[in-house]
Amino acid sequence: MNGPRRSRTARGGLRAGLLLLSALMALLLALPALSGALGLANPALAGEASSAASEVVGNASAATATPAPGAPKTTLADYPRIRGVNSRVLVWLVAQLHLWFAAFVLAVPIFVFIIEAIGMKTRDKRYDEMAYEFIKVSITAYSLTAILGGLLLFSLLVFYPQLTAYLTRVFKESMFYYALLFFIESAALYLYYYGWHWLQGPFAKWVHLTIGLVLNAAGTTLMFLANAWVTFMMSPAGVDSAGAYLGDPWAAIHNYLWNPINLHRFIANIAYGGSIVGAYAAFRFLTATRAEDKAHYDWMGYTANFIAIAALLPLPFAGYYLAAEIYAYSQQMGITLMGGIFAWLFIIQAVLIGTLFLSANYYLWCGMGRSEGAARYNRFIKYIVIVLVGAFLVWFTPHTLVLTNEELKALGGPYHTYLGPLGIMPAKNTAVNIMILFTALSFLIYRRANRVPTVSWAARGNAIQVALYGAGILNIFFLGIYHGYFTNTVYKVASSIPQVMTTLIVIAASLVIDAFIYRRAREIAPLRWGRIPDRAQYALFLLAIAFTWLMGLMGYIRSGIRQHWHVVGIMRDNSADAITPTLGFAANVVSAGTILFMALVIFVFWLSELGARKVQPAGYWQE
Amino acid sequence: MMGRLLSRIPALLRAALVVVGIYLAATAIFSGLLGQPIPASLMTMYMFFVIVGVFMAFTFTEEGARAMAAPIRALVENPALRPVRNIVFLLVPLAAGAFTYTKMLPSLEAPVELRTIHPAPPSTFKAYGKRYDLLTLENPFRKYEKEDPERFRALVAEGGKIYIRNCQFCHGDKLNGRGPFAPALNPVPLNFQDVGTIAQLQESYLFWRIATGGPGLPEEAAPWISSMPVWQNFLKEDEIWKVILFLYDYTGHRPRAWEK
């Protein structure tokens, strides 16, 4: 009796779910049409609006036409103060906390979607369970993201009302769709999470995966929209020189730095999400008492670290592209960024990025202990350490040194004859490409730890891989040294692209060759999940903390290069805080934010396991 | 033979020897051989990450980690090592205290400063009674490099003469920032031969810096202590552009440009 009824209920639920999903999809598909109707995406209408606005500005004296208002010219009185509250620091911290959580909750569904799809393809339930656990962590963080988003909005309204009003005037359409998309994202996320165990089975699983796709599409679009508001403040478009909105929403969104930020944030979010989930797995690993739990969280930590590394590898290139675009847009912003006052923060950034590479590699090497077969490769690790640390030292060597007077005299100037050339980008690009290549090499060695190849051409395949690496490294050095130091700046900047391509080609080709060499490989010693030292888990924590700190620091720099402008060249910041704080103060604020965020993350981790705890309150309830 | 000898040394001591060896080698090479010491601030950063690297190399296996920790464990747990432990427990805080004391001790040495070498240029600036847009400003003589090489050579030579008459006293006759006045200046004059100075900049940037000098530096990272004169008061606009041609020609650098 019970079975058919449950099955009918399930079918009914499925129908309801499908209906809701169809509605969501329809809404999503209807967005372009809706936006077209409102003139958001219709170039013709937008053009009309634009020319109309220009006309209005052009005929400002005409009695019938109202001139489009320019950006507000504020005075100190336009910035309300609340006793005991530093409005800039408050907005700074809240915005940063919102961004950290948002990056995490946007990234997790991306790789959950991929892991779920892998589980569907392989029919390995462990993937499905792990994907579910990933999304479980992010769902608690989701409400915190929304709360912090609300707090940010209210803080902006209270402390920066003129700026908020101006941005709202320019971005009214995208802000409206943002709210709508947020609704879709929330609906999809809750359906995705709560429907996980309900939507199981051949067809239902596809439905579930589709909800995941909708969730990711909505989340990523949300981020792109918010990015447009931020990049508009750096490289305004769609307004005239006085800041008057010309009526074309797409022009304002598609400003000069929008796509570079979109790309950079998309990749960085995945790396960041991976690192935070890795920290969660490490937390659970360290607190687990049963061997099977340790094994599960070890596997989860490994997967999370893999995701973080996979996204970390192309990240420096995306960052370089963004910095180059900032420079191309404004020499002033570009020099402030990397040659001027913020250059010293870039040294800290370099140290943190190096820390990411070192901790991710250390985790992989420690993980080789899962199999006895890895002992064969242990002797190679010290050479990888030498290369990684050597490249890391080049990576953070500053061009202008911090010198005592005595040192200044001994060197005969602020530059070091031999170390000075390591302070500019060609050396940095070379170093980071080498670090990436050797991180990939660590991964290749890890993959081989428990297996021996059975194909007859294994030795030749190996030789090809060694030759590929050798040729790649030579090419990277040639490009870095010759084009970096013996040609002009055009080639210097341009040579970074073939360097990147060399790195990517070597990694991809080596992985493909490796996959063929180790097809039907013989396992010589099994991988024992859970057999990993605790210190490897601390490497995962370090990864998450370094990522968080790095994002805070670079977020401040990105925002800080606007200096005394709310919107560069259009709307001046006339508040009491329209100064660039000292580097120490900025670093302290970012550090305080990092500690606050990590405390909240630990709270989220604790909450996510709270649901499984049960207590029998003896004598409390009536029997 | 050597390997067997090394393996007899306790892991912790081996790790310490590697770190000390790297430090001594770096000091010998840079201070002794090359005559360019590594500044203390940079050496501290280098050595910190060298120690991290050595720690990683020695501890990524269980056996390695155990071997590294063994002397420390023995020191803390072995009752026979009690006298050594007492000495170590006394020496470590004393060393930390001495280090802190020497670091905090006031000295006559001027504090180090984080100098901004490339101040961010404004988008426009005023010189010679008119306003220049730095985004569009170009060297009016650069075109002759291709169009009329003979004239270009003559302009470079003129720039050289102006440089020798006005600039070499600080920036040096080899453009390496070591002119006869340089030892008296702090910050020292810029070394144009360095790959990180004019090679990284556009000609318009150089024009702005030369024309407005130290007083024309932006508020960012103020107060400035540059002694660079305001050259618009002493040189004509054309003369500055010719000097810029000479700077790039003599050093072999190319001005930064976005397109060929």
Side-chain angles (χ1 to χ4, degrees):
Chain A
M1 282 297 280
N2 211 7
R5 194 190 305 155
R6 193 184 297 154
S7 145
R8 265 202 305 278
T9 317
R11 275 203 298 273
L14 189 62
R15 266 200 299 276
L18 283 172
L19 264 175
L20 183 57
L21 184 70
S22 316
L24 287 173
M25 291 290 280
L27 196 54
L28 202 66
L29 290 170
L31 272 179
L34 270 173
S35 61
L38 293 169
L40 182 64
N42 188 326
L45 282 177
E48 274 173 37
S50 170
S51 59
S54 309
E55 215 175 283
V56 169
V57 175
N59 297 312
S61 56
T64 49
T66 316
K73 291 195 177 1
T74 54
T75 64
L76 198 58
D78 292 314
Y79 298 90
R81 309 288 288 189
I82 293 178
R83 193 191 294 266
V85 178
N86 183 319
S87 48
R88 193 238 292 256
V89 174
L90 179 84
V91 170
W92 181 352
L93 275 176
V94 172
Q96 191 58 62
L97 282 167
H98 174 62
L99 190 126
W100 276 321
F101 273 108
F104 173 57
V105 300
L106 286 178
V108 172
I110 295 174
F111 51 76
V112 163
F113 174 80
I114 296 167
I115 294 170
E116 187 186 9
I118 293 171
M120 283 170 69
K121 172 87 179 136
T122 58
R123 294 295 166 99
D124 186 342
K125 200 166 187 304
R126 290 180 310 157
Y127 285 105
D128 203 59
E129 284 166 0
M130 184 168 62
Y132 178 69
E133 191 147 6
F134 279 156
I135 202 82
K136 191 170 85 176
V137 184
S138 89
I139 199 127
T140 323
Y142 189 74
S143 43
L144 265 171
T145 314
I147 292 166
L148 286 161
L151 193 59
L152 175 62
L153 179 61
F154 284 124
S155 306
L156 285 170
L157 284 170
V158 170
F159 295 112
Y160 296 91
Q162 297 282 357
L163 170 66
T164 315
Y166 176 61
L167 289 178
T168 311
R169 202 160 70 223
V170 177
F171 288 106
K172 55 186 181 298
E173 291 92 351
S174 58
M175 285 183 178
F176 170 73
Y177 287 117
Y178 184 90
L180 202 64
L181 273 169
F182 188 65
F183 165 75
I184 295 171
E185 191 200 14
S186 305
L189 176 65
Y190 290 125
L191 207 57
Y192 192 57
Y193 173 66
Y194 290 108
W196 198 286
H197 297 121
W198 170 55
L199 290 171
Q200 292 279 344
F203 177 68
K205 200 64 189 155
W206 276 108
V207 173
H208 188 258
L209 195 70
T210 312
I211 298 172
L213 187 68
V214 173
L215 166 65
N216 279 307
T220 307
T221 314
L222 267 178
M223 182 184 74
F224 287 172
L225 286 181
N227 287 351
W229 312 334
V230 167
T231 50
F232 172 82
M233 290 167 75
M234 299 169 76
S235 56
V239 291
D240 67 12
S241 57
Y245 178 48
L246 298 175
D248 181 357
W250 177 242
I253 289 173
H254 191 225
N255 57 67
Y256 196 85
L257 295 174
W258 185 52
N259 275 328
I261 285 262
N262 284 342
L263 179 72
H264 190 54
R265 280 191 168 171
F266 182 75
I267 299 173
N269 283 357
I270 296 174
Y272 187 55
S275 78
I276 296 290
V277 175
Y280 169 78
F283 171 79
R284 296 300 299 265
F285 179 90
L286 292 173
T287 52
T289 48
R290 297 186 313 149
E292 56 264 41
D293 287 345
K294 282 216 178 267
H296 174 71
Y297 289 112
D298 182 21
W299 187 53
M300 191 174 176
Y302 167 77
T303 312
N305 186 55
F306 175 80
I307 293 164
I309 294 181
L312 179 64
L313 297 188
L315 200 50
F317 312 135
Y320 188 72
Y321 165 56
L322 171 61
E325 291 299 305
I326 289 175
Y327 206 109
Y329 176 74
S330 158
Q331 183 184 219
Q332 188 181 20
M333 279 208 285
I335 291 182
T336 306
L337 183 77
M338 292 193 80
I341 189 162
F342 293 108
W344 295 104
L345 294 179
F346 264 87
I347 299 299
I348 304 179
Q349 179 238 22
V351 169
L352 287 172
I353 291 177
T355 307
L356 292 179
F357 276 100
L358 291 185
S359 49
N361 275 284
Y362 186 65
Y363 178 81
L364 274 178
W365 304 331
C366 286
M368 282 166 60
R370 292 183 187 113
S371 168
E372 276 85 7
R376 297 169 292 160
Y377 295 106
N378 284 350
R379 64 200 164 98
F380 296 117
I381 301 301
K382 57 178 171 290
Y383 302 110
I384 299 182
V385 173
I386 292 169
V387 173
L388 277 179
V389 172
F392 182 22
L393 300 190
V394 171
W395 173 244
F396 72 68
T397 297
H399 182 233
T400 308
L401 302 163
V402 180
L403 301 168
T404 61
N405 279 333
E406 219 167 284
E407 289 168 340
L408 189 74
K409 278 179 207 148
L411 292 179
Y415 301 115
H416 197 287
T417 310
Y418 304 103
L419 298 177
L422 303 183
I424 59 171
M425 279 321 286
K428 312 288 183 205
N429 283 337
T430 305
V432 83
N433 278 289
I434 297 295
M435 276 161 76
I436 289 169
L437 270 182
F438 277 79
T439 303
L441 184 64
S442 287
F443 178 68
L444 280 177
I445 290 178
Y446 175 85
R447 281 189 78 241
R448 294 174 169 204
N450 61 332
R451 298 179 297 169
V452 285
T454 53
V455 292
S456 58
W457 53 277
R460 263 173 292 151
N462 230 2
I464 294 171
Q465 282 177 310
V466 172
L468 258 175
Y469 256 80
I473 290 166
L474 278 178
N475 195 36
I476 287 167
F477 271 102
F478 169 74
L479 290 165
I481 295 171
Y482 177 69
H483 286 293
Y485 296 94
F486 299 100
T487 54
N488 70 44
T489 322
V490 176
Y491 300 116
K492 201 178 288 181
V493 175
S495 72
S496 65
I497 296 163
Q499 272 188 326
V500 171
M501 291 315 294
T502 306
T503 303
L504 294 181
I505 289 169
V506 169
I507 292 175
S510 301
L511 280 173
V512 170
I513 295 170
D514 217 56
F516 280 108
I517 295 178
Y518 282 83
R519 214 157 54 159
R520 294 192 208 96
R522 185 164 54 83
E523 191 177 71
I524 49 165
L527 270 180
R528 294 202 177 86
W529 291 105
R531 203 172 78 170
I532 188 164
D534 286 355
R535 60 183 178 280
Q537 309 306 317
Y538 293 106
L540 287 182
F541 282 136
L542 184 62
L543 201 66
I545 293 167
F547 255 124
T548 308
W549 209 22
L550 191 59
M551 280 172 73
L553 208 59
M554 299 315 285
Y556 162 66
I557 295 174
R558 186 205 52 71
S559 176
I561 54 171
R562 286 184 286 114
Q563 297 194 303
H564 50 274
W565 295 98
H566 286 312
V567 179
V568 173
I570 299 279
M571 184 180 177
R572 208 183 158 102
D573 181 354
N574 286 312
S575 70
D577 296 314
I579 46 141
T580 302
T582 61
L583 300 181
F585 180 83
N588 282 342
V589 173
V590 172
S591 304
T594 304
I595 293 168
L596 201 57
F597 175 75
M598 292 321 292
L600 287 170
V601 162
I602 290 168
F603 174 65
V604 167
F605 289 173
W606 178 73
L607 274 184
S608 65
E609 64 167 350
L610 198 61
R613 291 189 192 177
K614 284 196 175 112
V615 171
Q616 292 301 329
Y620 181 78
W621 299 110
Q622 275 185 357
E623 295 297 327
Chain B
M1 180 71 185
M2 187 70 179
R4 217 179 300 153
L5 195 72
L6 275 175
S7 65
R8 279 202 209 140
I9 303 172
L12 188 61
L13 184 59
R14 240 184 307 151
L17 285 175
V18 171
V19 172
V20 172
I22 291 172
Y23 175 79
L24 292 177
T27 310
I29 292 170
F30 283 94
S31 301
L33 213 63
L34 302 172
Q36 287 266 298
I38 302 175
S41 58
L42 188 59
M43 192 57 142
T44 310
M45 282 169 75
Y46 279 171
M47 289 317 296
F48 178 79
F49 285 103
V50 165
I51 292 169
V52 169
V54 170
F55 171 82
M56 293 197 315
F58 274 78
T59 64
F60 75 91
T61 60
E62 268 311 282
E63 307 79 61
R66 265 200 298 274
M68 278 284 274
I72 300 167
R73 283 185 78 109
L75 184 75
V76 178
E77 293 171 357
N78 189 346
L81 291 175
R82 195 172 166 184
V84 184
R85 178 164 67 230
N86 288 345
I87 294 169
V88 170
F89 280 18
L90 188 71
L91 282 181
V92 168
L94 272 178
F99 177 76
T100 312
Y101 178 77
T102 48
K103 283 281 158 199
M104 301 305 287
L105 199 65
S107 79
L108 295 173
E109 176 78 24
V112 291
E113 49 182 316
L114 299 175
R115 191 172 160 236
T116 303
I117 291 293
H118 298 316
S123 48
T124 63
F125 73 99
K126 240 178 134 177
Y128 298 106
K130 52 185 173 179
R131 190 158 282 283
Y132 294 89
D133 185 345
L134 268 174
L135 294 176
T136 53
L137 185 62
E138 283 179 6
N139 191 335
F141 302 129
R142 179 60 63 187
K143 60 184 176 200
Y144 296 121
E145 194 174 9
K146 277 185 186 161
E147 289 173 9
D148 188 351
E150 208 168 308
R151 185 171 176 195
F152 185 76
R153 294 308 319 159
L155 289 165
V156 169
E158 278 178 53
K161 280 180 193 157
I162 300 163
Y163 178 87
I164 292 298
R165 276 200 300 268
N166 298 280
C167 316
Q168 64 92 13
F169 304 102
C170 296
H171 291 284
D173 54 1
K174 290 187 177 143
L175 281 67
N176 57 2
R178 296 190 182 191
F181 293 176
L185 299 171
N186 182 17
V188 291
L190 221 51
N191 169 7
F192 302 132
Q193 298 282 6
D194 189 281
V195 288
T197 58
I198 59 170
Q200 300 282 319
L201 300 166
Q202 295 176 0
E203 289 184 294
S204 58
Y205 186 99
L206 268 70
F207 182 79
W208 164 62
R209 286 288 61 251
I210 297 168
T212 63
L217 284 162
E219 285 179 17
E220 172 215 311
W224 294 94
I225 46 173
S226 166
S227 36
M228 176 86 167
V230 181
W231 285 104
Q232 60 172 314
N233 297 338
F234 309 103
L235 295 176
K236 292 188 197 113
E237 189 180 344
D238 281 1
E239 288 177 319
I240 293 183
W241 286 123
K242 287 174 195 168
V243 168
I244 293 172
L245 290 186
F246 170 71
L247 294 183
Y248 283 105
D249 185 77
Y250 187 87
T251 56
H253 296 314
R254 297 291 305 172
R256 187 171 198 135
W258 293 111
E259 284 161 23
K260 276 188 270 178

